[in-house]
Amino acid sequence: MELTTDILRLATVGSVDDGKSTLIGRLLVDTRQLFDDQLDAVVNASERRGVGDLDLSFVTDGLRAEREQGITIDVAYRYASTPQRKFIIADCPGHVQYTRNMATGASTADLALVVVDVAHGLKEQTRRHLCIAALLGVRGLVVAVNKMDAVHWSPTAFQSVVDEVETVAGELGFDAITCVPTSALLGDNVVDASDHTPWYAGPTVLEALETSDAGAWSNATNGARLPIQWVLRQPGGGRTYAGMVNGEALHEGDVVTLLPAGIETTITALNTLHSGADVDGAVGLSIDVALADETDAGRGDLLAGAPLPHVTREIAATVCWFGERPLTTGSRLRLKHTTRVTPARIVSLDGVVDVATLSVDPGDELRTNDIGLVQLATADPLVVDDYRDNRVTGSFVLIDEVTNATVAAGMVGRATFL
Amino acid sequence: MTLTSLRPQTTTDHLSLLESHAVYILREVAAECERPVLLFSGGKDSAVLLHLAVKAFAPGRLPFPVMHVDTGQNFPEVLAFRDQTVANLNARLVIASVQEAIDRGRVADPGPHGARNRLQTVALLDAIVEHGFDAAFGGARRDEDKARAKERILSFRDAFGQWDPRQQRPELWQLYQGRVNAGEHLRAFPLSDWTELDIWQYIERENVALPPIYFAHERDVVRRDAMWLAVNEFIEPRPGERVERRLVRYRTVGDATCTGAVESDAVTVEAIVREVATANVSERGATRADDRFSETAMEDRKREGYF
């Protein structure tokens, strides 16, 4: 059986009750991704909870509380494949208090499947989600303008949402947007083209997902990066350094710099897990390498190709704050960046983002789910790239020192739209 | 925008990317936690997990022990496979015994033919406390069940071993942070993004050894709860049930009292890959009585500390 190389990772984005989970349920049911017993279980659960013959949201809303309340609390991951490509779908919650879970789902996505209730237009929560998705580096948008049946399939109503979406998406820098008039509930334009929208000539949601190039990022020439996770001792006394490649591919013979030490050396051997088939250290592969020079490299260090990242103890960053207590100047936290964990302190809070207007306003604290600009100082030097150059070396999380909870997502630098 | 993808499309096939991601998780947790352990049931998923763990740290020895939560009602072929695998690797095996928990009075004896699936949680949590484990690798996959579809790759457990699905830690990018306080622990699921088909394709590519019961064989079975249950010391035919000899194989391996077989003539991994690719019933739906108690059986067990 042939193995696929075409995978699209997508996350649902939008406000509560606009129909995200129903749309994913419809996509999975109409492309026959569900096993018979799973579909039977959804039918039975729908009947028992008195919500009709088939509540499609129950396909992904699998927790007891979610079904009782009719909302999504946390991300559900589903895996689907069509003859065209494989999909990894993160169905994210819409409620503002679960924004941290939406960010979790969107952080690994290349495309956002945005769901907007045509009767309500873009709500503040949808703007917040779009802003977070843009900050996290989601590139493409497929927008389901949903519940079209409720506005009698009005092309005018559809167009007014499209105009609104295009304005906001343009400000946020999304470069590939497809809007589709849908009824997730009835199945129109999700997998099968609708008879109700003769005025619409574009793709269905599935066709838009199958043809999107959001996952096919130009392999930017921002330099290979190998954060060292583990040192493997080889028989005979040598050592190799293990980690996952990002940025650009690594090869035997490449000249690399060990950072933060700043030692230039050469890769003398490169081992992949699937030797024979995967000979190069392609991006996304776990490899280990031997180096020409004797070094004291270890976990937390990084091997980099040119152009080199920055070594610094002070970072200007954009953070999404998830903590219950506010973040203020002087807050002390732990910071995890690549494979290094170090104490960190907020030196200054330089602004709070207003997600409705995208203006950056002065403020003295970040409250739960706020997005802000901060200056951080770290105890150990970090080896960073701007997030827009590298999503691995440009990202970090902040950790509460007492509870060990993850309380913020951080991105080095500042998005162009802020 | 010129952002790079976290996991961009390359010419690398999806099995290599899944393998690399799983190895990455194994190395992160092994590096950040003090005393990890790998849960090994002898089933196909944990066989793949153990195979990946060996690759992650080769040529070194596995830097953590392997633990089997033994219900005392196992398929003998699976126990033999467990012992052979652990011996081949020269790994340390910890056995958390449900029978011992019953003998010590930690849990009530469900009787000679009672299901012990749920009792595994007590034996598992006791062993985690006894050995001071702060992380346990498991082979659970998100495509198995709707509650598992909701769980993080690093899943936090409080001092009572409980999972709280409403308070999961944010888990961004591939920044897996495994810090816990004393008494708390993590479950780590490196196979989260794998499907049943991925597992079998990987077994085929890597020649991962499995217990023979995964392959079609003749066996005395009875029809019960729309499953074929093997007749053995744990399952006796009930009145009205007819013992039949059928060509069957197992799609999952669990406690012998609640794991059913499916009819199949697949005797090679290649044939199983073809069978799985066209299956129309899920593996747990086809073979696990323990998931049929209620709508949220898996979530309820997980909240208590189950795998």
Side-chain angles (χ1 to χ4, degrees), chain A residues 239 241 256 258 263-268 290-297:
Chain A
R239 285 172 168 73
Y241 304 95
V256 289
L258 175 68
I263 300 166
E264 196 174 277
T265 181
T266 305
I267 293 177
T268 53
L291 301 175
D293 299 278
E294 197 70 42
T295 69
D296 67 344

Side-chain angles (χ1 to χ4, degrees), chain B residues 7-287:
Chain B
R7 292 178 219 168
Q9 287 173 25
T10 61
T11 51
T12 314
D13 70 67
H14 80 283
L15 279 188
S16 288
L17 292 174
L18 286 170
E19 175 186 57
S20 283
H21 186 214
V23 163
Y24 180 83
I25 295 161
L26 283 155
R27 287 173 175 159
E28 278 304 282
V29 173
E32 289 211 337
C33 295
E34 295 287 325
R35 294 173 75 88
V37 66
L38 187 145
L39 300 173
F40 181 66
S41 67
K44 67 184 189 313
D45 301 313
S46 60
V48 166
L49 183 63
L50 185 55
H51 179 87
L52 288 162
V54 169
K55 285 184 107 172
F57 302 103
R61 222 183 127 185
L62 207 59
F64 37 74
V66 166
M67 177 154 77
H68 181 219
V69 181
D70 179 357
T71 64
Q73 298 175 337
N74 296 290
F75 293 95
E77 299 92 329
V78 177
L79 286 185
F81 170 75
R82 173 196 77 185
D83 293 339
Q84 187 60 51
T85 305
V86 169
N88 289 349
L89 293 175
N90 193 22
R92 184 157 75 86
L93 176 68
V94 175
I95 294 175
S97 163
V98 172
Q99 187 61 50
E100 251 176 51
I102 292 170
D103 295 345
R104 283 186 292 136
R106 292 280 293 131
V107 291
D109 189 345
H113 305 299
R116 294 181 166 192
N117 194 294
R118 215 165 170 146
L119 308 184
Q120 293 180 97
T121 300
V122 175
L124 170 63
L125 294 179
D126 281 358
I128 285 172
V129 171
E130 184 190 333
H131 296 274
F133 294 129
D134 57 356
F137 292 107
R141 311 188 322 266
R142 285 171 172 158
D143 79 327
E144 280 180 86
D145 176 87
K146 57 192 179 299
R148 286 192 165 158
K150 292 272 166 181
E151 195 166 10
R152 298 281 189 261
I153 289 174
L154 260 57
S155 184
F156 177 78
R157 294 291 187 280
D158 67 14
F160 299 94
Q162 298 187 102
W163 177 56
D164 183 353
R166 302 192 80 130
Q167 293 295 335
Q168 299 198 85
R169 284 181 179 174
E171 186 168 78
L172 289 111
W173 302 290
Q174 289 167 14
L175 283 168
Y176 302 108
Q177 79 93 358
R179 299 179 73 87
V180 294
N181 287 319
E184 302 164 346
H185 72 277
L186 286 178
R187 302 287 171 83
F189 301 115
L191 306 181
S192 287
D193 281 344
W194 298 49
T195 64
E196 184 188 14
L197 184 59
D198 296 328
I199 292 286
W200 280 107
Q201 289 183 323
Y202 188 74
I203 288 167
E204 184 179 26
R205 189 178 91 173
E206 299 276 312
N207 286 315
V208 179
L210 291 181
I213 67 172
Y214 276 109
F215 302 92
H217 56 284
E218 285 204 339
R219 191 179 277 263
D220 288 337
V221 289
V222 294
R223 193 77 181 155
R224 188 183 297 171
D225 300 332
M227 296 189 297
W228 293 107
L229 288 180
V231 177
N232 52 30
E233 59 183 302
F234 311 115
I235 298 272
E236 285 172 9
R238 292 173 184 164
E241 287 178 343
R242 190 159 49 88
V243 178
E244 299 174 52
R245 192 143 186 93
R246 296 228 168 211
L247 192 59
V248 297
R249 70 174 200 88
Y250 285 85
R251 263 177 94 180
T252 68
V253 164
D255 184 272
T257 63
C258 69
T259 305
V262 294
E263 284 192 273
S264 167
D265 59 3
V267 293
T268 62
V269 175
E270 199 187 347
I272 293 173
V273 168
R274 279 197 303 272
E275 189 182 283
V276 169
T278 56
N280 49 25
V281 177
S282 77
E283 62 177 22
R284 294 198 78 90
T287 64

Side-chain angles (χ1 to χ4, degrees), chain A residues 382-403:
Chain A
L382 299 180
V383 184
V384 302
D385 287 292
D386 188 282
Y387 184 77
R388 276 141 296 276
D389 294 329
N390 190 310
R391 276 170 99 171
V392 176
T393 47
S395 61
F396 60 87
V397 291
L398 296 174
I399 302 162
D400 185 291
E401 288 192 308
V402 177
T403 64

